[in-house]
Amino acid sequence: MPAVTETRETVEKLAKSSYEWGFETDIEMDIAPKGLNEETVRLISARKEEPEWMLEWRLKAFRMWLEMKEPEWAKVSHPPIDYQDAHYFAQPKKKPGPKSLDEVDPELLKTYAKLGIPLHEQALLAGVEGADEQKRMPVAVDAVFDSVSVATTFRKTLEEAGVIFCPISEAIREHSDLVKQYLGSVVPAGDNFFAALNSAVFTDGSFVYVPKGVRCPMELSTYFRINARNTGQFERTLIIVEERASVSYLEGCTAPQRDENQLHAAVVELIAMDDASIKYSTVQNWYPGDDEGRGGIYNFVTKRGACRGARSKISWTQVETGSSITWKYPSCVLAGEGSVGEFYSVAVTNNHQQADTGTKMIHLAPNTRSTIIAKTISAGKSDSTYRGLVRMQPKARNARNFTQCDSLLIGDQCGAHTVPYIESRNMTARIEHEATTSKISEDQLFYCRSRGLSEEDAVGLIVNGFCREVLKELPMEFAVEAQKLLQISLEGSVG
Amino acid sequence: MSDFLKIQGLEARIDADGTPKEILKGIDLEIPKGEIHAIMGPNGSGKSTLSYVLSGREDYEVTGGSATFKGEDLLALEPEERAALGMFLAFQSPVELPGVNNANFLRTAVNAVRRARGEDELDAVAFLKAVRAETKRLSMSDEMLKRAVNVGFSGGEKKRNEVLQMRLLQPSFAILDETDSGLDIDALRIVADGVNSLRGPDFSALVITHHQRLLDYIVPDRVHVMAKGKIIYSGGPEVAKTLEKQGYTQFLEAAA
Ligand SMILES: Nc1ncnc2c1ncn2[C@@H]1O[C@H](COP(=O)(O)OP(=O)(O)OP(=O)(O)O)[C@@H](O)[C@H]1O
Ligand SMILES: [Mg+2]
């Protein structure tokens, strides 16, 4: 409840400091020369001490990428990206690997402190709505600092449970068979332009493996930060959950302020076997650019989950407030009989931000079910598009989809578009679609203000109410931050 | 003598699809500290408009006159500053806030006002205690606290929720705009008790109503009759009884 109060303070601070999280950390960096060619790919693979098959995999992806074109259909526009004008590898200068947090570069820890880790404590202190209803779990933080994971905590507890949670580069070396079996099995290297690029040059990311029957004993959380000037960020995440196992994974990011646009092209692959469940939550706060849209992050992400097993479940929850351009469609391929896909999303755009997001639910098997709840909030001169595909394949007997898209407009210079694509090749499948567009009314604002709330607080409260169905899906560690981000990102959008 | 609430020659208009419409045409009204006044008047005479203008709604343009509250120029303050100063409006039509949890809303409001008044904020436990005591007094179920603000509330439940907010925000001056309409007999008593129990030297109110019945429960110090944007008559509680029997005609004719 007091998140709003807290938010107000945050907003006040922000009003002064502009983008509070736009700081740079001064750490010695090991940077590859600018440019992208086969040599770059070989260099990355060598630095990562990868097995030969991995190098071959990358090179194949790179050759595919050379043949591909950037997608043009998304409703976003940006100056052409010069892929040769970026560094593809940057990592803090190697000291012997840290064994505990004590050994981690203090500069880095300061950075994390500024980012407010650990968040779950904040959530409890702030008494987030629903905080007491949710089971409290410790959070394991695998902090991705630029392209290299430097600190992993709680590893022992996870090991005891048989859960593998490590940087993907480590998994490539140490769990080679698993990686080889599953990498690219959900998002093939040639899937799309950005996925191919990622496959060729990804430098880090997380790997999770939960064995049969294991409920992961803690929320897994990764904090991404882009911190080196001109370094494209190519994260690769692979999560495999075996039969009757489950995991909840949290991803969050903030990025420092800078004046060149930065490319972020991540790939996330999720695999759920029989009766397995994966909950993947994102609070995304890349630097959105200044009021004019200069300097923000370009976020082109491919996220896809495969419900391979019967009755398996994959749930995506995301709160997107950042980036100058977002292009992102977390999807579910429902291949297991009776499997379930969910997508809960809040996308906020302000100033000159552009977002083209949505989801794809591909129903392959009988009795599969999917739910899509997408909330879009547009303010300033921003433009937001929800693009959703629901496809019912011939074998998807009695499959069900429910889609609800709600747009909230703040001011009259912004735009919101809803583009549903529905393809049904099965007579017994049922698809429901609901869409609404609304504005924050003067009545609502005045009602709140007459009760003593400032205009900013009132907007925050109303917006958080609008997003409630999605926010309640977030693990509580993220609920506080999400509520804050919503308000911060709409700062100055009224009055 | 009274410098509590003083309204002089207040004029206000609204932009009705491009053409300005004069609604308040010179309101003079004084409410001393500790007194409860009632306003009665025909539909459309400007009662709600007056309550909106006093609480700072922006779509009304004040074109003349003045209003001071506790010595401050009321009309220069933002709505939330007026709330902090002790002003409260129970809306004739309470507004729905979809998805906004009622308890969360109440606590946010209470703490915003407390902060502005230089008081300590209530933590979750203290707040819950305070709110439980009030819901009990108003015979409201705790379930109302878990629902979204006013969404799907019955007419009577909305009005009770307004009174709940009033009691939690501890105003020194409350405007109740037809808080009695839509209430059943029992609810009317409960709501009247909710107001009466605040009565004292530090609480004043302006009660807008169409029904003399409410004024049997909340006995006003003064009754004002409003018509066509003006106060046309002021008197004691007996005015309400006269109105109930005879209607507005004689007041309107006397004023003409
Ligand atoms: N936004 C608006 N646009 C146009 N006219 C308005 C607007 N708001 C108020 N009015 C008009 O101003 C006049 C006064 O309205 P107001 O709501 O203040 O009356 P009231 O005395 O409260 O009536 P009631 O007893 O029915 O509640 C009415 O004629 C109303 O139609
Ligand atoms: Mg009225």
Side-chain angles (χ1 to χ4, degrees):
Chain A
M1 333 187 161
V4 173
T5 310
E6 202 178 309
T7 309
R8 214 183 74 114
E9 284 152 18
T10 317
V11 169
E12 279 165 4
K13 246 190 278 158
L14 246 105
K16 282 182 216 113
S17 69
S18 200
Y19 192 72
E20 181 183 29
W21 295 336
F23 46 80
E24 274 182 62
T25 310
D26 192 10
I27 287 185
E28 281 187 82
M29 291 291 249
D30 178 8
I31 293 182
K34 274 187 184 176
L36 180 53
N37 50 43
E38 281 204 15
E39 274 319 298
T40 323
V41 177
R42 283 176 198 282
L43 176 112
I44 290 168
S45 192
R47 285 290 172 86
K48 294 281 172 189
E49 295 162 36
E50 289 177 349
E52 186 60 27
W53 68 264
M54 192 65 232
L55 174 64
E56 288 310 319
W57 197 88
R58 286 180 183 278
L59 288 171
K60 213 171 125 197
F62 178 70
R63 285 166 203 146
M64 279 191 254
W65 179 73
L66 287 176
E67 302 295 313
M68 295 169 96
K69 281 215 154 51
E70 245 181 277
E72 281 167 5
W73 48 268
K75 207 177 172 315
V76 296
S77 62
H78 55 81
I81 300 168
D82 182 355
Y83 292 94
Q84 298 305 331
D85 188 34
H87 298 279
Y88 286 85
F89 184 73
Q91 72 178 354
K93 276 262 171 61
K94 252 232 160 59
K95 303 172 184 172
K99 297 285 180 302
S100 73
L101 280 178
D102 300 342
E103 293 178 31
V104 171
D105 189 326
E107 277 296 311
L108 195 51
L109 291 179
K110 260 192 259 164
T111 305
Y112 295 149
K114 278 192 228 168
L115 285 172
I117 302 167
L119 291 164
H120 59 291
E121 284 171 17
Q122 290 182 10
L124 285 178
L125 288 172
V128 188
E129 227 184 294
D132 47 356
E133 284 154 31
Q134 284 188 20
K135 233 194 272 141
R136 278 174 212 173
M137 283 205 206
V139 184
V141 180
D142 170 25
V144 176
F145 180 70
D146 245 29
S147 312
V148 181
S149 295
V150 286
T152 302
T153 52
F154 287 106
R155 203 142 164 188
K156 202 147 170 283
T157 322
L158 292 172
E159 259 163 30
E160 279 164 13
V163 175
I164 305 171
F165 176 36
C166 66
I168 197 150
S169 50
E170 187 181 317
I172 289 168
R173 292 191 301 268
E174 285 168 29
H175 307 282
S176 194
D177 290 348
L178 280 174
V179 178
K180 199 169 172 182
Q181 184 182 349
Y182 290 106
L183 189 73
S185 72
V186 187
V187 181
D191 188 82
N192 66 66
F193 181 84
F194 297 110
L197 177 62
N198 174 288
S199 300
V201 301
F202 73 86
T203 44
D204 223 318
S206 297
F207 175 81
V208 178
Y209 178 80
V210 188
K212 270 185 196 171
V214 173
R215 290 194 53 190
C216 185
M218 61 182 67
E219 307 262 3
L220 302 182
S221 140
T222 304
Y223 293 88
F224 299 95
R225 289 232 319 121
I226 292 182
N227 208 357
R229 192 164 286 269
N230 273 338
T231 307
Q233 180 102 25
F234 302 95
E235 299 288 346
R236 186 92 193 186
T237 300
L238 178 59
I239 299 178
I240 304 150
V241 179
E242 296 281 14
E243 285 168 34
R244 300 181 321 281
S246 66
V247 72
S248 170
Y249 185 91
L250 286 63
E251 169 204 32
C253 27
T254 56
Q257 180 159 11
R258 53 188 64 253
D259 42 25
E260 292 134 85
N261 286 302
Q262 284 193 309
L263 176 64
H264 182 87
V267 172
V268 177
E269 297 179 278
L270 312 181
I271 295 141
M273 302 307 188
D274 285 1
D275 298 293
S277 91
I278 302 176
K279 187 174 174 60
Y280 193 105
S281 313
T282 308
V283 172
Q284 189 275 113
N285 183 28
W286 297 120
Y287 178 59
D290 63 15
D291 294 351
E292 308 270 276
R294 278 186 306 251
I297 301 293
Y298 292 176
N299 190 29
F300 301 116
V301 180
T302 308
K303 286 184 165 173
R304 195 174 303 156
C307 282
R308 296 221 170 125
R311 298 165 305 277
S312 56
K313 177 176 171 181
I314 289 180
S315 179
W316 299 100
T317 306
Q318 59 175 30
V319 175
E320 301 273 340
T321 65
S323 296
S324 130
I325 298 177
T326 301
W327 182 91
K328 179 175 171 181
Y329 315 89
S331 307
C332 295
V333 179
L334 303 171
E337 178 149 4
S339 59
V340 175
E342 293 175 339
F343 175 74
Y344 300 97
S345 163
V346 172
V348 184
T349 52
N350 199 356
N351 298 328
H352 289 263
Q353 281 176 278
Q354 305 172 61
D356 195 300
T357 73
T359 185
K360 292 178 201 161
M361 293 291 175
I362 313 294
H363 292 252
L364 300 178
N367 301 313
T368 45
R369 282 178 291 134
S370 62
T371 304
I372 299 171
I373 309 281
K375 305 274 182 178
T376 308
I377 300 153
S378 316
K381 294 193 169 71
S382 68
D383 208 15
S384 182
T385 302
Y386 168 81
R387 201 182 289 278
L389 168 70
V390 178
R391 180 183 292 153
M392 302 294 190
Q393 292 291 65
K395 285 191 184 138
R397 265 179 295 107
N398 297 317
R400 298 271 177 275
N401 164 264
F402 174 74
T403 300
Q404 184 185 326
C405 301
D406 298 318
S407 313
L408 186 68
L409 304 178
I410 302 175
D412 46 19
Q413 291 185 291
C414 52
H417 319 268
T418 300
V419 190
Y421 300 89
I422 295 169
E423 300 171 10
S424 185
R425 304 197 181 106
N426 192 303
M427 294 285 285
T428 61
R430 209 170 73 204
I431 299 173
E432 285 175 71
H433 182 96
E434 289 175 9
T436 65
T437 301
S438 52
K439 282 191 152 197
I440 293 187
S441 75
E442 284 299 324
D443 281 344
Q444 290 174 325
L445 283 178
F446 175 63
Y447 189 68
C448 293
R449 294 180 71 192
S450 75
R451 269 65 181 137
L453 302 186
S454 68
E455 191 158 42
E456 296 281 0
D457 279 358
V459 170
L461 202 69
I462 293 165
V463 165
N464 275 302
F466 172 76
C467 302
R468 195 178 146 71
E469 290 152 283
V470 174
L471 296 180
K472 74 177 168 45
E473 294 296 325
L474 282 178
M476 72 168 170
E477 283 77 8
F478 267 15
V480 168
E481 183 168 354
Q483 292 186 8
K484 279 192 204 174
L485 286 181
L486 284 181
Q487 180 148 3
I488 289 167
S489 55
L490 290 170
E491 195 209 334
S493 60
V494 285
Chain B
M1 174 198 109
S2 149
D3 57 358
F4 184 71
L5 179 72
K6 192 171 191 170
I7 301 163
Q8 283 180 312
L10 188 63
E11 293 173 15
R13 66 180 182 200
I14 191 149
D15 174 57
D17 294 321
T19 39
K21 178 172 175 180
E22 317 290 335
I23 304 176
L24 301 185
K25 297 170 185 161
I27 302 275
D28 293 305
L29 183 64
E30 265 184 53
I31 301 180
K33 215 165 162 243
E35 288 195 5
I36 292 185
H37 288 203
I39 288 192
M40 302 181 84
N43 295 131
S45 53
K47 304 180 298 294
S48 294
T49 302
L50 175 64
S51 64
Y52 285 144
V53 169
L54 292 180
S55 33
R57 204 182 157 126
E58 275 157 9
D59 28 8
Y60 296 92
E61 188 195 347
V62 175
T63 48
S66 66
T68 56
F69 179 49
K70 297 180 175 173
E72 297 221 30
D73 177 4
L74 190 62
L75 302 176
L77 300 176
E78 296 292 332
E80 58 269 31
E81 293 171 328
R82 302 182 196 201
L85 203 57
M87 170 91 87
F88 181 86
L89 167 63
F91 283 56
Q92 181 174 358
S93 316
V95 179
E96 298 184 1
L97 302 175
V100 179
N101 173 275
N102 202 20
N104 183 14
F105 176 68
L106 289 168
R107 188 173 166 210
T108 309
V110 165
N111 281 336
V113 161
R114 290 183 73 96
R115 241 189 350 257
R117 292 176 188 162
E119 297 165 1
D120 284 343
E121 292 185 28
L122 294 184
D123 63 27
V125 178
F127 170 76
L128 218 60
K129 222 177 125 198
V131 83
R132 287 258 159 79
E134 295 299 350
T135 49
K136 202 166 157 227
R137 159 161 233 141
L138 298 169
S139 302
M140 291 171 72
S141 79
D142 283 352
E143 199 246 341
M144 309 292 297
L145 295 172
K146 294 183 187 151
R147 288 167 58 179
V149 179
N150 294 326
V151 177
F153 285 24
S154 75
E157 285 167 344
K158 283 184 182 168
K159 296 302 172 79
R160 259 187 246 211
N161 199 41
E162 293 291 288
V163 176
L164 173 67
Q165 293 179 47
M166 175 184 77
R167 295 191 56 96
L168 286 168
L169 291 171
Q170 303 180 325
S172 46
F173 174 62
I175 305 171
L176 294 120
D177 190 357
E178 295 197 31
T179 304
D180 56 328
S181 47
L183 291 184
D184 64 47
I185 300 284
D186 293 338
L188 186 69
R189 278 206 195 96
I190 290 164
V191 163
D193 167 70
V195 177
N196 283 330
S197 58
L198 295 178
R199 255 185 135 138
D202 294 321
F203 179 74
S204 307
L206 182 62
V207 178
I208 298 170
T209 183
H210 288 295
H211 306 290
Q212 189 263 329
R213 195 185 52 180
L214 175 70
L215 304 181
D216 284 343
Y217 294 106
I218 305 174
V219 181
D221 296 291
R222 303 278 292 164
V223 176
H224 309 278
V225 180
M226 184 164 172
K228 295 181 186 151
K230 282 184 175 165
I231 304 284
I232 56 168
Y233 188 86
S234 299
E238 72 286 352
V239 173
K241 297 212 166 64
T242 314
L243 273 176
E244 181 85 355
K245 283 201 209 90
Q246 302 174 1
Y248 289 105
T249 330
Q250 64 159 4
F251 291 98
L252 290 171
E253 281 166 3

